[in-house]
Amino acid sequence: MPLPTNSLTNTYHRDTYPAISPTKPSLSQAGRTILITGGGGGIGFEIARSFARASASRIIIVGRRNSVLDTAIEKLRGEFKDSTTEFIARQGDISDDSSITDLWDFLNSQNIFVRVLVLNAAQFTPNGNDTLRMDKRELMKAFDVNVGGNFSMSAKFIDQPLRPAGQQLNLINVSTAGIHMHPAKNQNPYTSSKAAFTAIIGRVADEHPIEDVQIISFHPGALYSEGVSKRVDKSLLKWDESKWEVIISNLSPTDRPTY
């Protein structure tokens, strides 16, 4: 199944609109700390910008490349220099359990409680049209990040020692349209591993009431991000704008109970 060319609704938005504006008072993220994996560029960076526009108290971006993180933090601090949002960058690799442990140990040592976790980091390779001819070790890299890494991050997030009793958490899984596409040419390791974690986190949602942790999995749209640009020609699709107010509009509000 290719990407759809028509819409199931009368209006199809490719950009933000007032109802989901992060500056809307009812969508304020004031008082919340947000952690975004893969937050140094592309989708993750735009997610960070949207949370900053929603007045999040602290935004932590995590990624493997220090140079990318440094550039991202400089941009965020420059754009939001008049805001009260604190921006923190931490190098980390979610495919490595010790790296994940180091990250959460650091947060605990700094007395930082994370209210919202955005699982955005992803492994796209290996690619190929014959999965059974792939090297198993290369194949498993996609599962190490997209399943194992996201699982470990989620477990650490839910079990934070600094979490106040009764405090609801918000966990956001950035999924992909690829898990619904058949065939997904040359993308089996990526789409299969993303589908696997989406299934796992859905079962986790069955186990935890929304008052404990609100879990959202969503397809982010057709975005011409840095990663996509390395594999796909821009003329292939009419791309959506890389703005992430839709995430914030679905989080449980701070000023009323969750139903």
Side-chain angles (χ1 to χ4, degrees):
M1 181 182 74
L3 287 171
T5 56
N6 54 10
S7 175
L8 297 175
T9 61
N10 293 329
T11 303
Y12 185 92
H13 294 280
R14 294 188 181 277
D15 204 343
T16 188
Y17 50 97
I20 61 170
S21 171
T23 59
K24 192 175 179 180
S26 63
L27 301 181
S28 172
Q29 298 297 299
R32 296 183 176 188
T33 292
I34 320 298
L35 191 155
I36 306 164
T37 64
I43 294 172
F45 181 76
E46 294 300 331
I47 292 172
R49 290 183 70 245
S50 290
F51 272 107
R53 292 184 65 207
S55 302
S57 295
R58 184 187 293 113
I59 297 173
I60 305 164
I61 58 173
V62 177
R64 293 179 298 174
R65 297 172 292 177
N66 277 317
S67 59
V68 173
L69 293 173
D70 291 342
T71 299
I73 284 292
E74 183 178 355
K75 288 180 180 178
L76 290 168
R77 288 173 178 166
E79 181 176 354
F80 298 98
K81 60 185 177 183
D82 296 326
S83 78
T84 58
T85 302
E86 177 187 5
F87 298 100
I88 298 175
R90 287 292 297 181
Q91 192 278 333
D93 180 356
I94 69 166
S95 70
D96 182 348
D97 284 346
S98 63
S99 183
I100 291 175
T101 297
D102 288 346
L103 168 64
W104 288 99
D105 284 349
F106 164 77
L107 297 175
N108 292 331
S109 72
Q110 298 300 305
N111 201 36
I112 295 175
F113 162 65
V114 177
R115 172 68 186 273
V116 180
L117 172 64
V118 182
L119 298 172
N120 171 69
Q123 176 74 26
F124 295 96
T125 56
N127 299 318
N129 58 12
D130 190 341
T131 304
L132 292 179
R133 293 186 181 276
M134 292 181 180
D135 184 286
K136 178 184 175 182
R137 290 167 296 183
E138 290 297 310
L139 174 72
M140 293 309 296
K141 287 181 180 179
F143 286 84
D144 287 342
V145 174
N146 301 337
V147 179
N150 284 336
F151 168 80
S152 295
M153 284 294 295
S154 300
K156 291 285 189 181
F157 172 60
I158 289 176
D159 289 335
Q160 292 179 80
L162 297 175
R163 179 182 180 183
Q167 175 63 67
Q168 184 201 45
L169 301 176
N170 307 95
L171 190 156
I172 301 166
N173 171 41
V174 180
S175 187
T176 174
I179 69 176
H180 305 293
M181 294 169 64
H182 301 280
K185 294 183 178 179
N186 302 322
Q187 295 187 57
N188 190 16
Y190 171 67
T191 57
S192 295
S193 56
K194 292 289 281 187
F197 184 72
T198 299
I200 289 171
I201 205 66
R203 299 295 185 182
V204 172
D206 291 337
E207 298 166 352
H208 291 261
I210 194 170
E211 293 81 10
D212 178 33
V213 53
Q214 179 193 30
I215 295 175
I216 300 171
S217 285
F218 81 108
H219 155 42
L223 305 167
Y224 200 67
S225 63
E226 175 190 359
V228 172
S229 67
K230 295 176 181 179
R231 303 184 305 279
V232 177
D233 188 90
K234 194 171 185 179
S235 62
L236 180 66
L237 292 173
K238 183 178 180 181
W239 303 93
D240 298 325
E241 290 295 320
S242 297
K243 295 178 180 177
W244 294 101
E245 286 79 354
V246 66
I247 291 180
I248 297 170
S249 68
N250 281 286
L251 293 184
S252 299
T254 58
D255 57 351
R256 62 181 184 269
T258 300
Y259 297 98

